[in-house]
Amino acid sequence: AAWTETVREQKEWAQTAMERELDPWDDDVETEICFEEGEASDCILRSCEEQNCQLVVMGSHGRTGLRRALMGSVAERTVRHARVPVLVVR
């Protein structure tokens, strides 16, 4: 029960933070905040299809070489498999 409460509180905090961050863009860009559980790139790609997105914008840590090979790259996998343009910001 404590774990569930912690997750709920973190989601609420993240929701508030994202709303604050997106507020200046609300009049110009349609946005939707959602939370998914699972492999990040799979969730991004699935949500993109379900929401009929026209563009994916995402950040990247900019890892290269061995670190990227060992850890994988959510941005790289998303770019490779998305059916819409993906803008990666480093």
Side-chain angles (χ1 to χ4, degrees), residues 8 11 43 48 52 56-57 59 61 65 85:
R8 186 189 62 74
K11 280 180 158 181
C43 290
C48 186
N52 197 28
V56 175
V57 180
H61 292 291

Side-chain angles (χ1 to χ4, degrees), residues 9-90:
E9 289 172 359
Q10 289 178 343
K11 280 180 158 181
E12 287 178 5
W13 177 86
Q15 177 84 26
T16 301
M18 288 302 299
E19 288 171 354
R20 193 172 333 128
E21 195 70 30
L22 293 171
D23 186 53
W25 304 97
D26 279 348
D27 293 337
D28 301 323
V29 178
E30 183 180 338
T31 61
E32 181 177 339
I33 300 168
C34 63
F35 295 92
E36 301 273 343
E37 291 182 31
E39 175 66 37
S41 58
D42 291 340
C43 290
I44 292 166
L45 293 167
R46 184 177 51 252
S47 292
C48 186
E49 290 289 322
E50 290 172 358
Q51 300 298 323
N52 197 28
C53 295
Q54 297 176 6
L55 172 69
V56 175
V57 180
M58 61 189 307
S60 172
H61 292 291
R63 293 187 180 101
T64 60
L66 185 59
R67 286 185 78 190
R68 187 183 78 209
L70 292 174
M71 298 174 62
S73 170
V74 173
E76 182 179 350
R77 188 168 191 286
T78 302
V79 167
R80 271 191 277 128
H81 296 285
R83 295 182 181 172
V84 298
V86 179
L87 174 63
V88 180
V89 180
R90 187 169 146 187

